[in-house]
């Protein structure tokens, strides 16, 4: 039987290799406008050579803008991380009776989490900008499949690279710490030290999501105001230089910022589950402890990578997009298929890597709970299915294919006041089902496996993270490609 170490490492490597192959497929597309006619032309009038030069000019402007923003942002982040790392080192050492080893390990994991988060965001930006112009060129080809596949593969590079990098960095850090904390009784200190990894990812997510998000919205609104209001030209008109800032914002906020944000969520959820589930490995009947059982949260993420990789073929090969109305269906099928395939995959992993019966220290009451693999599996399933329900409800309230958005658009006919009132009311209404789903998932998972179950449910939400990131990056890439 493959050990947990083998599964986790193989999954991480496979994710990185798959991301590389997706990047190679994108890189084979030349930035060259050709065979322009009335049906395929990007615009009427200019020749292929002029269009190609214009594409490269805009592409380079967006790249320079995104690179400059991230350089400025990550310079601030680096100084913050260095100062905060010193504070963590001092506080953790002091709080543990001046145990300098625990202070150093916690600080090291914090730095690794922070710099991995920055690397993930930067990688996402580079791939998105690299793919935007190639999506535009592919849109000239007949049919919808070529341009959809380029944008989808760009998202896959980000999704699988982030998951592979995150899981490998976290697990190798734990293996390094295990050299010092080798005894099962010391694993509680190991998992406490690794929590710095999640904190580091969250710190960068704060900068990336908030800083990048504010820049994105400021650039978007500014471009619209100076274009449509001041000069009376259409949105994303090439004569408006502010549209470059708008496109830069899509890459630094909706791609780099979102990548750091989701990396932070993954790191936090995984570290929390490892801390809460430490007693599973420590309380094992085996004198050497049960390392594989304690690594179950990482096993879930590893299984999710394989599921997402398999389901990605549905979008690009098995059920490719052939018409405009199929885009939304194919992306939705990605979420549904990965969620439902995760259910049996995680069940098999629970049976293999968890003992038939194991003990978990309760966080309340100081008693030990006797659990079985099916209970942990059910917690993950509740999280995965709950995440799918929330995603589908969000789509219902935000997609023009359904009634709510059309009703908001119709309310604009009677003025801005009715539009704002109706939009806010609809926003409140859209939160009802997600809040209820979250409450049920938390209650159900806590009833089954205490707080460990809640943390497993959180990992269940992120089990198909590679696919979720693929779809998230797909949007900004297509947005940039369209102008």
């Amino acid at each position: 039987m493959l050990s947990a170490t083998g599964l986790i490492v193989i999954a991480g490597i496979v994710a990185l290799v798959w991301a590389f192959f997706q990047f190679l497929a994108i890189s084979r597309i030349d930035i060259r406008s050709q065979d322009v006619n009335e049906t395929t032309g990007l615009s009427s009038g200019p020749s292929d050579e002029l269009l190609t030069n214009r594409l490269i000019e805009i592409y380079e402007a967006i790249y320079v803008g995104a690179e400059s923003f991230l350089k400025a942002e990550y310079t601030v982040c680096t100084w913050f991380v260095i100062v905060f790392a010193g504070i963590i080192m001092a506080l953790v050492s002091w709080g543990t009776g001046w145990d300098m080893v625990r202070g150093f390990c916690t600080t090291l994991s914090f730095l690794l989490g922070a710099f991995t988060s920055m690397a993930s965001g930067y990688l996402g930006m580079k791939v998105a900008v690299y793919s935007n112009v190639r999506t535009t060129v592919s849109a000239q080809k007949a049919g919808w499949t070529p341009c959809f596949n380029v944008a989808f593969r760009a998202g896959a590079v980000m999704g699988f690279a982030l998951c592979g990098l995150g899981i490998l960095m976290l697990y190798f850090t734990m293996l390094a710490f295990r050299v010092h904390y080798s005894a099962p009784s010391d694993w509680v200190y190991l998992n406490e030290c690794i929590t710095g990894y999640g904190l580091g990812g969250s710190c960068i997510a704060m900068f990336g999501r908030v800083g990048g998000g504010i820049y994105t919205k400021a650039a978007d609104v500014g471009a619209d105001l100076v274009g449509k209001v001041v000069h009376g030209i259409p949105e994303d008109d090439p004569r408006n230089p502010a549209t470059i800032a708008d496109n830069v914002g899509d890459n630094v906020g909706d791609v780099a910022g979102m990548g750091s944000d989701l990396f932070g969520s993954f790191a936090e959820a995984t570290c929390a589950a490892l801390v809460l589930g430490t007693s599973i490995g420590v309380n094992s009947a085996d004198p050497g402890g049960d390392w594989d059982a304690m690594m179950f949260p990482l096993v879930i993420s590893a299984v999710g990578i394989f599921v997402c990789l398999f389901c990605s073929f549905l979008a690009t090969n098995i059920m490719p997009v052939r018409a405009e109305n199929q885009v939304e269906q194919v992306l939705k099928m990605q979420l549904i298929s990965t969620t439902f395939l995760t259910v049996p995959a995680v069940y098999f992993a629970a049976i293999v890597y968890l003992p038939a019966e194991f003990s978990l220290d309760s966080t309340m009451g100081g008693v030990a709970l006797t659990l079985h693999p099916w209970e942990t599996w059910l917690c993950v399933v509740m999280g995965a299915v709950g995440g799918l329900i929330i995603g589908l409800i969000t789509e219902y309230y935000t997609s023009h294919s359904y009634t709510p958005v059309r009703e908001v658009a119709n309310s604009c006919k009677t003025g801005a006041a009715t539009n704002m009132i109706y939009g806010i009311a609809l926003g409140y209404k859209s939160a009802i089902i997600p809040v209820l789903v979250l409450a049920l998932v938390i209650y159900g998972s806590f009833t089954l496996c205490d707080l460990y179950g809640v943390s497993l449910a959180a990992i269940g939400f992120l089990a198909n993270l590679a696919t979720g990131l693929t779809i998230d990056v797909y949007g900004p890439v297509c947005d940039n490609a369209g102008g």
Side-chain angles (χ1 to χ4, degrees), residues 148-210:
F148 174 86
N149 283 357
V150 172
F152 187 84
R153 285 181 174 129
V157 174
M158 172 69 165
F160 285 95
L162 184 146
C163 290
L165 188 63
I167 196 173
L168 285 177
M169 188 65 72
L170 176 58
Y171 193 65
F172 285 149
T173 303
M174 295 189 70
L175 291 179
F177 290 174
R178 191 183 180 188
V179 174
H180 179 75
Y181 297 112
S182 56
S185 58
D186 291 335
W187 287 352
V188 61
Y189 305 127
L190 186 156
N191 285 330
E192 287 178 357
C193 291
I194 208 66
T195 55
Y197 188 81
L199 179 61
S202 298
C203 286
I204 302 304
M206 174 183 66
F207 283 96
R209 201 56 166 151
V210 177

Side-chain angles (χ1 to χ4, degrees), residues 110-458:
F110 168 77
L111 291 172
L112 290 173
F115 288 119
T116 304
S117 182
M118 282 193 275
S120 300
Y122 184 75
L123 173 67
M125 181 279 293
K126 297 279 281 189
V127 172
V129 175
Y130 187 82
S131 306
N132 295 339
V133 65
R134 288 165 174 80
T135 302
T136 303
V137 171
S138 299
Q140 288 184 279
K141 300 177 182 178
W144 290 80
T145 305
C147 60
F148 174 86
N149 283 357
V150 172
F152 187 84
R153 285 181 174 129
V157 174
M158 172 69 165
F160 285 95
L162 184 146
C163 290
L165 188 63
I167 196 173
L168 285 177
M169 188 65 72
L170 176 58
Y171 193 65
F172 285 149
T173 303
M174 295 189 70
L175 291 179
F177 290 174
R178 191 183 180 188
V179 174
H180 179 75
Y181 297 112
S182 56
S185 58
D186 291 335
W187 287 352
V188 61
Y189 305 127
L190 186 156
N191 285 330
E192 287 178 357
C193 291
I194 208 66
T195 55
Y197 188 81
L199 179 61
S202 298
C203 286
I204 302 304
M206 174 183 66
F207 283 96
R209 201 56 166 151
V210 177
I214 291 175
Y215 175 88
T216 300
K217 295 309 173 188
D220 190 5
V221 174
D224 289 347
L225 287 176
V226 75
K228 292 189 289 187
V229 178
V230 178
H231 294 288
I233 58 179
E235 183 179 3
D236 295 334
D237 192 294
R239 294 172 293 175
N240 181 4
T243 57
I244 297 298
D246 185 8
N247 288 334
V248 169
D250 292 336
N251 290 289
V252 300
D254 297 339
V255 177
M258 178 190 57
S260 296
D261 188 14
L262 289 176
F263 172 82
S265 299
F266 159 77
E268 288 171 335
T270 306
C271 291
L274 289 170
V275 170
L276 293 167
T278 302
S279 58
I280 296 176
V282 175
N283 296 342
S284 172
D286 186 345
D290 194 339
W291 178 263
D292 284 5
M294 193 173 71
M295 291 298 107
F296 184 62
L298 278 171
V299 168
I300 298 171
S301 299
V303 168
I305 288 175
F306 290 111
V307 169
C308 293
L309 193 154
F310 173 77
C311 290
S312 66
F313 286 102
L314 292 175
T316 57
N317 299 90
I318 300 175
M319 298 171 56
V321 172
R322 302 189 187 281
E324 182 180 3
N325 60 358
Q326 293 180 353
V327 174
E328 186 175 345
Q329 298 172 9
V330 169
L331 294 178
K332 189 191 302 183
M333 182 56 64
Q334 284 292 294
L335 291 177
I336 295 173
S337 60
T338 52
T339 299
F340 281 99
L341 281 181
T342 296
V343 172
V346 172
Y347 180 78
F348 178 75
I351 294 298
V352 171
Y353 293 103
L354 291 175
E357 187 174 280
F358 55 92
S359 174
L360 174 73
D361 290 346
S362 172
T363 54
M364 299 178 65
V367 297
L369 304 175
T370 301
L371 302 176
H372 307 85
W374 69 266
E375 292 167 314
T376 59
W377 165 75
L378 197 55
C379 291
V380 177
V381 170
M382 283 191 287
V385 175
L388 176 62
I389 293 173
I390 292 174
L392 295 178
I393 292 298
T394 302
E395 184 204 17
Y396 173 76
Y397 280 102
T398 56
S399 172
H400 188 261
S401 301
Y402 303 102
T403 304
V405 172
R406 297 184 179 186
E407 290 179 347
V408 172
N410 190 56
S411 69
C412 295
K413 295 178 180 179
T414 53
T418 53
N419 169 238
M420 293 177 63
I421 294 171
Y422 195 93
I424 292 174
L426 197 63
Y428 287 139
K429 183 179 178 182
S430 69
I432 295 175
I433 295 179
V435 168
L436 291 176
V437 169
L438 279 173
L440 289 174
V441 169
I442 293 172
Y443 177 78
S445 56
F446 182 84
T447 301
L448 286 172
C449 300
D450 203 77
L451 281 181
Y452 182 64
V454 179
S455 64
L456 290 180

